[in-house]
mmCIF file of all heavy atoms in Angstrom:
data_model
loop_
_atom_site.group_PDB
_atom_site.id
_atom_site.type_symbol
_atom_site.label_atom_id
_atom_site.label_comp_id
_atom_site.label_asym_id
_atom_site.label_seq_id
_atom_site.Cartn_x
_atom_site.Cartn_y
_atom_site.Cartn_z
ATOM 1 N N PRO A 1138 137.946 153.526 106.613
ATOM 2 C CA PRO A 1138 137.389 152.506 105.710
ATOM 3 C C PRO A 1138 137.851 151.096 106.096
ATOM 4 O O PRO A 1138 139.011 150.887 106.454
ATOM 5 C CB PRO A 1138 137.947 152.904 104.340
ATOM 6 C CG PRO A 1138 138.184 154.376 104.456
ATOM 7 C CD PRO A 1138 138.627 154.598 105.880
ATOM 8 N N GLY A 1139 136.918 150.162 106.064
ATOM 9 C CA GLY A 1139 137.215 148.765 106.378
ATOM 10 C C GLY A 1139 136.900 148.368 107.799
ATOM 11 O O GLY A 1139 136.946 147.184 108.144
ATOM 12 N N GLU A 1140 136.553 149.312 108.653
ATOM 13 C CA GLU A 1140 136.247 148.984 110.042
ATOM 14 C C GLU A 1140 134.754 148.671 110.200
ATOM 15 O O GLU A 1140 133.971 148.874 109.287
ATOM 16 C CB GLU A 1140 136.672 150.127 110.954
ATOM 17 C CG GLU A 1140 138.177 150.322 110.945
ATOM 18 C CD GLU A 1140 138.651 151.443 111.816
ATOM 19 O OE1 GLU A 1140 137.982 152.498 111.861
ATOM 20 O OE2 GLU A 1140 139.702 151.273 112.443
ATOM 21 N N PHE A 1141 134.382 148.168 111.377
ATOM 22 C CA PHE A 1141 132.993 147.794 111.614
ATOM 23 C C PHE A 1141 132.543 148.226 113.000
ATOM 24 O O PHE A 1141 133.349 148.673 113.809
ATOM 25 C CB PHE A 1141 132.793 146.283 111.411
ATOM 26 C CG PHE A 1141 133.467 145.409 112.444
ATOM 27 C CD1 PHE A 1141 132.742 144.914 113.525
ATOM 28 C CD2 PHE A 1141 134.803 145.073 112.338
ATOM 29 C CE1 PHE A 1141 133.342 144.096 114.475
ATOM 30 C CE2 PHE A 1141 135.419 144.266 113.275
ATOM 31 C CZ PHE A 1141 134.692 143.773 114.351
ATOM 32 N N VAL A 1142 131.245 148.094 113.231
ATOM 33 C CA VAL A 1142 130.650 148.388 114.537
ATOM 34 C C VAL A 1142 129.890 147.157 115.012
ATOM 35 O O VAL A 1142 129.564 146.272 114.216
ATOM 36 C CB VAL A 1142 129.681 149.595 114.481
ATOM 37 C CG1 VAL A 1142 130.426 150.869 114.192
ATOM 38 C CG2 VAL A 1142 128.573 149.381 113.470
ATOM 39 N N ILE A 1143 129.625 147.111 116.297
ATOM 40 C CA ILE A 1143 128.722 146.093 116.844
ATOM 41 C C ILE A 1143 127.509 146.833 117.375
ATOM 42 O O ILE A 1143 127.637 147.778 118.161
ATOM 43 C CB ILE A 1143 129.387 145.253 117.942
ATOM 44 C CG1 ILE A 1143 130.503 144.406 117.312
ATOM 45 C CG2 ILE A 1143 128.367 144.381 118.658
ATOM 46 C CD1 ILE A 1143 131.196 143.467 118.238
ATOM 47 N N VAL A 1144 126.342 146.411 116.907
ATOM 48 C CA VAL A 1144 125.086 147.086 117.236
ATOM 49 C C VAL A 1144 124.255 146.187 118.147
ATOM 50 O O VAL A 1144 124.158 144.981 117.931
ATOM 51 C CB VAL A 1144 124.297 147.393 115.944
ATOM 52 C CG1 VAL A 1144 122.993 148.093 116.269
ATOM 53 C CG2 VAL A 1144 125.132 148.223 114.986
ATOM 54 N N LYS A 1145 123.666 146.799 119.154
ATOM 55 C CA LYS A 1145 122.746 146.100 120.054
ATOM 56 C C LYS A 1145 121.530 147.001 120.232
ATOM 57 O O LYS A 1145 121.659 148.148 120.650
ATOM 58 C CB LYS A 1145 123.436 145.819 121.387
ATOM 59 C CG LYS A 1145 122.665 144.921 122.300
ATOM 60 C CD LYS A 1145 123.513 144.592 123.515
ATOM 61 C CE LYS A 1145 122.647 144.010 124.595
ATOM 62 N NZ LYS A 1145 123.358 143.896 125.860
ATOM 63 N N MET A 1146 120.352 146.492 119.870
ATOM 64 C CA MET A 1146 119.137 147.308 119.896
ATOM 65 C C MET A 1146 118.685 147.676 121.291
ATOM 66 O O MET A 1146 118.278 148.802 121.540
ATOM 67 C CB MET A 1146 117.996 146.570 119.192
ATOM 68 C CG MET A 1146 118.201 146.465 117.730
ATOM 69 S SD MET A 1146 116.854 145.637 116.880
ATOM 70 C CE MET A 1146 115.675 145.280 118.102
ATOM 71 N N ASP A 1147 118.696 146.699 122.186
ATOM 72 C CA ASP A 1147 118.246 146.925 123.562
ATOM 73 C C ASP A 1147 118.956 145.919 124.452
ATOM 74 O O ASP A 1147 119.757 145.121 123.976
ATOM 75 C CB ASP A 1147 116.719 146.809 123.670
ATOM 76 C CG ASP A 1147 116.171 145.501 123.121
ATOM 77 O OD1 ASP A 1147 116.851 144.454 123.249
ATOM 78 O OD2 ASP A 1147 115.068 145.510 122.555
ATOM 79 N N GLU A 1148 118.662 145.948 125.756
ATOM 80 C CA GLU A 1148 119.389 145.060 126.668
ATOM 81 C C GLU A 1148 119.119 143.576 126.430
ATOM 82 O O GLU A 1148 119.904 142.731 126.824
ATOM 83 C CB GLU A 1148 119.127 145.439 128.124
ATOM 84 C CG GLU A 1148 117.684 145.377 128.552
ATOM 85 C CD GLU A 1148 117.500 145.879 129.959
ATOM 86 O OE1 GLU A 1148 117.924 147.012 130.246
ATOM 87 O OE2 GLU A 1148 116.920 145.139 130.765
ATOM 88 N N LYS A 1149 118.043 143.236 125.744
ATOM 89 C CA LYS A 1149 117.750 141.840 125.434
ATOM 90 C C LYS A 1149 118.225 141.426 124.041
ATOM 91 O O LYS A 1149 118.238 140.262 123.709
ATOM 92 C CB LYS A 1149 116.239 141.584 125.532
ATOM 93 C CG LYS A 1149 115.707 141.728 126.929
ATOM 94 C CD LYS A 1149 114.235 141.443 126.972
ATOM 95 C CE LYS A 1149 113.700 141.636 128.380
ATOM 96 N NZ LYS A 1149 112.278 141.364 128.467
ATOM 97 N N GLY A 1150 118.624 142.404 123.233
ATOM 98 C CA GLY A 1150 119.011 142.144 121.852
ATOM 99 C C GLY A 1150 120.378 141.495 121.731
ATOM 100 O O GLY A 1150 121.230 141.607 122.604
ATOM 101 N N GLU A 1151 120.577 140.825 120.603
ATOM 102 C CA GLU A 1151 121.873 140.210 120.340
ATOM 103 C C GLU A 1151 122.836 141.257 119.795
ATOM 104 O O GLU A 1151 122.441 142.308 119.313
ATOM 105 C CB GLU A 1151 121.717 139.064 119.341
ATOM 106 C CG GLU A 1151 121.215 139.502 117.977
ATOM 107 C CD GLU A 1151 120.972 138.338 117.046
ATOM 108 O OE1 GLU A 1151 121.931 137.608 116.753
ATOM 109 O OE2 GLU A 1151 119.824 138.167 116.623
ATOM 110 N N ARG A 1152 124.123 140.966 119.871
ATOM 111 C CA ARG A 1152 125.162 141.852 119.329
ATOM 112 C C ARG A 1152 125.348 141.514 117.856
ATOM 113 O O ARG A 1152 125.647 140.374 117.521
ATOM 114 C CB ARG A 1152 126.462 141.658 120.098
ATOM 115 C CG ARG A 1152 126.353 142.064 121.545
ATOM 116 C CD ARG A 1152 127.534 141.602 122.383
ATOM 117 N NE ARG A 1152 128.757 141.393 121.632
ATOM 118 C CZ ARG A 1152 129.903 142.031 121.850
ATOM 119 N NH1 ARG A 1152 129.987 142.892 122.832
ATOM 120 N NH2 ARG A 1152 130.961 141.784 121.127
ATOM 121 N N ILE A 1153 125.194 142.503 116.985
ATOM 122 C CA ILE A 1153 125.257 142.275 115.545
ATOM 123 C C ILE A 1153 126.429 143.075 114.968
ATOM 124 O O ILE A 1153 126.431 144.299 115.013
ATOM 125 C CB ILE A 1153 123.947 142.709 114.864
ATOM 126 C CG1 ILE A 1153 122.757 141.972 115.484
ATOM 127 C CG2 ILE A 1153 124.009 142.471 113.362
ATOM 128 C CD1 ILE A 1153 121.412 142.503 115.051
ATOM 129 N N PRO A 1154 127.455 142.385 114.399
ATOM 130 C CA PRO A 1154 128.560 143.107 113.770
ATOM 131 C C PRO A 1154 128.159 143.576 112.366
ATOM 132 O O PRO A 1154 127.613 142.805 111.575
ATOM 133 C CB PRO A 1154 129.672 142.060 113.705
ATOM 134 C CG PRO A 1154 128.949 140.753 113.672
ATOM 135 C CD PRO A 1154 127.657 140.948 114.415
ATOM 136 N N LEU A 1155 128.416 144.846 112.064
ATOM 137 C CA LEU A 1155 128.050 145.423 110.767
ATOM 138 C C LEU A 1155 129.170 146.321 110.258
ATOM 139 O O LEU A 1155 129.743 147.103 111.009
ATOM 140 C CB LEU A 1155 126.758 146.235 110.895
ATOM 141 C CG LEU A 1155 125.519 145.449 111.330
ATOM 142 C CD1 LEU A 1155 124.407 146.394 111.730
ATOM 143 C CD2 LEU A 1155 125.069 144.533 110.210
ATOM 144 N N THR A 1156 129.434 146.236 108.971
ATOM 145 C CA THR A 1156 130.462 147.059 108.342
ATOM 146 C C THR A 1156 130.008 148.512 108.270
ATOM 147 O O THR A 1156 128.851 148.790 107.967
ATOM 148 C CB THR A 1156 130.755 146.544 106.919
ATOM 149 O OG1 THR A 1156 131.188 145.189 107.012
ATOM 150 C CG2 THR A 1156 131.825 147.365 106.239
#
Side-chain angles (χ1 to χ4, degrees):
E1140 295 179 321
F1141 68 98
V1142 293
I1143 293 184
V1144 180
K1145 189 174 165 190
M1146 291 181 2
D1147 54 34
E1148 60 185 54
K1149 294 181 182 180
E1151 63 184 299
R1152 296 168 25 120
I1153 303 170
L1155 298 167
T1156 301

